[in-house]
């Protein structure tokens, strides 16, 4: 019987995958906003077609499909934020001093962690 080996993660999947701290911070922000965008589109699709939602966002329907199929590449944080604004969402950002014993980091909300 083989022995399983487990490694404890750093708490940031992007760092664990080998991204720098700066890249990991940006990817964490991007993935949080992307998850919110997917939820916003799902909500809009309750009463609209994908084509109608796409028109509201100022994109073609295949972009909606790309987003809903978890294809985050090709979308910047700014672009995702603009889509949320076009869907009539407020975007709230907060920043707090980190404890002195560690450097600052991007911390996803509990809601974003649950959706992942």
């Amino acid at each position: 019987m083989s022995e399983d080996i487990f490694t404890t993660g750093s708490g940031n999947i992007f760092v664990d995958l080998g991204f720098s701290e700066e890249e990991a911070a940006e990817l964490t922000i991007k993935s949080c906003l992307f998850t919110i965008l997917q939820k916003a589109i799902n909500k809009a699709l309750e009463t609209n077609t994908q084509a109608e939602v796409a028109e509201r966002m100022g994109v073609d329907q295949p972009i909606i499909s790309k987003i809903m199929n978890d294809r985050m590449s090709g979308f910047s944080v700014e672009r995702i934020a603009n889509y949320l604004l076009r869907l009539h969402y407020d975007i709230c950002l907060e920043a707090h001093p980190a404890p002195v014993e560690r450097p600052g980091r991007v911390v996803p909300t509990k809601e974003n962690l649950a959706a992942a």
Side-chain angles (χ1 to χ4, degrees):
M1 188 157 91
S2 69
E3 193 173 312
D4 291 332
I5 299 172
F6 295 93
T7 303
T8 302
S10 68
N12 185 320
I13 186 69
F14 299 114
V15 169
D16 295 343
L17 290 172
F19 291 97
S20 71
E21 289 289 336
E22 294 81 14
E23 291 170 315
E26 183 175 350
L27 286 167
T28 301
I29 293 168
K30 183 177 175 180
S31 64
C32 288
L33 285 174
F34 196 79
T35 300
I36 295 166
L37 177 60
Q38 288 176 313
K39 289 178 182 180
I41 291 172
N42 270 327
K43 179 82 172 144
L45 289 173
E46 291 174 4
T47 56
N48 299 278
T49 65
Q50 278 196 5
E52 291 167 332
V53 174
E55 183 177 336
R56 205 159 108 191
M57 290 173 54
V59 299
D60 295 328
Q61 183 277 330
I63 296 293
I64 303 299
S65 292
K66 186 175 179 181
I67 294 166
M68 298 314 292
N69 287 309
D70 298 320
R71 292 194 174 91
M72 191 171 71
S73 65
F75 297 100
S76 66
V77 169
E78 181 180 8
R79 192 170 169 196
I80 296 166
N82 282 327
Y83 292 157
L84 285 165
L85 295 172
R86 290 178 187 160
L87 291 172
H88 302 283
Y89 273 69
D90 290 334
I91 300 170
C92 304
L93 302 174
E94 291 185 32
H96 308 278
V100 294
E101 63 271 6
R102 69 161 174 77
R105 62 182 182 200
V106 175
V107 182
T109 63
K110 291 177 188 171
E111 185 177 289
N112 287 109
L113 289 172

